[in-house]
Amino acid sequence: KKCEREGLPMPGAADVSIPYDAAAMLAYEAAGSEGDFEAFKAKYVEDAVYMVTCKKCEREGLPMPGAADVSIPYDAAAMLAYEAAGSEGDFEMFKEVFNSQAIATVVAKKAAREGKTAPQAPSPAGSDISIPYDAAAKLAYAAAGSTGDFEAFKAKYEADAVAMVSAKKEAREAALVAK
């Protein structure tokens, strides 16, 4: 009873309590006991919590904490080429052409490496390679830095082009007659 009043352990009784940071102490000693224990303990607890969290995420099929999404979209190369080309048209059509050209390039390089002739790649189905009738007028309009009415510019451009072609034809015919 005297031991109880004075807060002393009973004779023959063993202390079986485990300090809260016993695992950290054991790891600290195993690591060579160098540096500040409190800093080591803080890192040890952080790593232990992270490890337990990861195991829980793995068990439940959840993404790991702090894991960055480093996936790359399948069509990333086509997207980069599309943006680099400054294209404003249909991306899906561009991607189809880009992919067929990329595949043809890989096949040709493989054939060259193996000393074979690469087969000709077929043009993608639905590829429109036509040139609009007024493409030359559009280029001249843009090159001139025009900001006015395109239709009026186009009419004058076409009239000038016809006059120029007609003049060249007449000069060519006159040169043939003179011979």
Side-chain angles (χ1 to χ4, degrees):
K1 302 253 180 203
K2 179 179 178 186
C3 291
E4 286 179 19
R5 276 184 277 142
E6 296 179 16
L8 299 172
M10 296 289 267
D15 182 14
V16 292
S17 64
I18 299 171
Y20 173 77
D21 54 5
M25 278 191 235
L26 289 172
Y28 180 71
E29 290 170 5
S33 304
E34 293 181 18
D36 179 36
F37 172 71
E38 290 303 316
F40 181 90
K41 182 173 87 171
K43 178 72 173 131
Y44 178 84
V45 169
E46 179 185 332
D47 290 349
V49 168
Y50 181 76
M51 182 181 68
V52 169
T53 304
C54 287
K55 286 184 178 184
K56 179 180 186 269
C57 289
E58 187 177 311
R59 184 177 62 247
E60 295 177 3
L62 300 171
M64 296 293 182
D69 180 13
V70 294
S71 61
I72 298 171
Y74 176 76
D75 56 2
M79 277 192 250
L80 288 172
Y82 181 76
E83 290 169 5
S87 298
E88 297 177 6
D90 180 25
F91 172 70
E92 291 304 317
M93 180 62 76
F94 179 90
K95 183 171 77 170
E96 184 179 327
V97 172
F98 177 85
N99 286 342
S100 67
Q101 289 174 346
I103 290 168
T105 300
V106 170
V107 168
K109 286 184 178 184
K110 182 177 185 244
R113 190 175 56 244
E114 295 172 352
K116 299 177 184 173
T117 303
Q120 287 288 42
S123 64
S127 292
D128 181 13
I129 58 169
S130 63
I131 299 171
Y133 175 78
D134 58 357
K138 285 180 182 176
L139 287 172
Y141 182 77
S146 298
T147 57
D149 179 31
F150 172 70
E151 292 302 320
F153 180 91
K154 181 174 123 179
K156 181 173 179 350
Y157 178 84
E158 289 173 353
D160 291 346
V162 168
M164 181 181 65
V165 170
S166 296
K168 285 187 176 185
K169 181 182 177 201
E170 289 173 10
R172 190 175 56 247
E173 289 173 350
L176 287 175
V177 172
K179 286 185 178 183

